[in-house]
Amino acid sequence: MSKVLELKSVNKVIGKKEIVKDLSFTIEEGEIFGFLGPNGAGKTTTIKMITGLISITSGEILIDGISIKKNFEEALSNVGGIIENPEMYGYLSGLDNLKLYGRMQGSLDKNRISEVVSLVKLENRINDKVKGYSLGMRQRLGLAQALIHKPKLIILDEPTNGLDPVGIKELRETLKSLTATGTSVLVSSHLLSEMELMCDRFCIIDSGILKDIKTMNGIKASKEAAVKSYVLETSNNKLAKNIIEKETNKEVKEITEKITVRSTKEEIGKINKLLVLKDIEVYEISIYSKSLEDEFIEITGSKQLR
């Protein structure tokens, strides 16, 4: 599978401050890649370097194997994007907005416009004026605009801002249909639950430094491991914690009104029996599933995400 985007030891220095430090990652053809980090992590700066809005201090960025330093226009011809809310001419119809953008690109292909309108599911409203569009419809029209020239990479910076649950679901479904055609997506968002549903892989950066790259399949596999974290709610959590630690030598952690312990399925059965024999009522035993949010908190130390 080919690399659609490749960052090689990318650095950005503004004044005396290092904003991005030795950042390297790749995005493969047909994948949705999540880009996460807390406030000031360097995400927006990185996106601006990829799209040529600011220069690279050192390092290399390749789009479909083409250097943005050596062949800027050719490299960027393979990129489309939406940065937050797309700007459109409200007094024009959605179709006229797309035609206008197509002319700006130097090629007005009516068949291609029909293709992207169908892809983003705007057929029924494409002839309506944009001023009557919902925010979700504007996002879909913006995505259609970004797709007109058949880019290999779509960059979305906070695309779910202001969208209601229906709009977010529609955007997610549209992006997944895009990857089926081989288009790759780089998406940053503060909605970790949505990123978990949307992405194939994700990276986390903090203070301009790459902290980790993970796959959603990897997170799912960790959930299915033989040893799991179990959450117990009992009639006396403090006493239950002491009994488990004394009788099994396992570490027990206290969380709000519950306790957690790492064990196998067989061991948790014995722990349940042990507590019952000690006259402690066990109200609930559940498996603690690590989420993308958990991964983020572990890596960044619970910093605010942006």
Side-chain angles (χ1 to χ4, degrees), residues 10-22 45 49 54-58:
V10 172
N11 293 273
K12 180 62 182 178
V13 179
I14 299 177
K16 295 183 179 180
K17 187 176 181 181
E18 289 183 288
I19 308 298
V20 175
K21 307 171 188 176
D22 200 33
T45 298
M49 286 191 287
I54 60 174
S55 62
I56 306 166
T57 301
S58 63

Side-chain angles (χ1 to χ4, degrees), residues 129-149:
K129 290 185 178 181
V130 170
K131 64 182 179 182
Y133 280 16
S134 67
L135 182 54
M137 291 169 62
R138 286 172 180 262
Q139 287 284 44
R140 281 187 280 157
L141 183 62
L143 187 56
Q145 176 179 290
L147 289 168
I148 284 180
H149 62 295

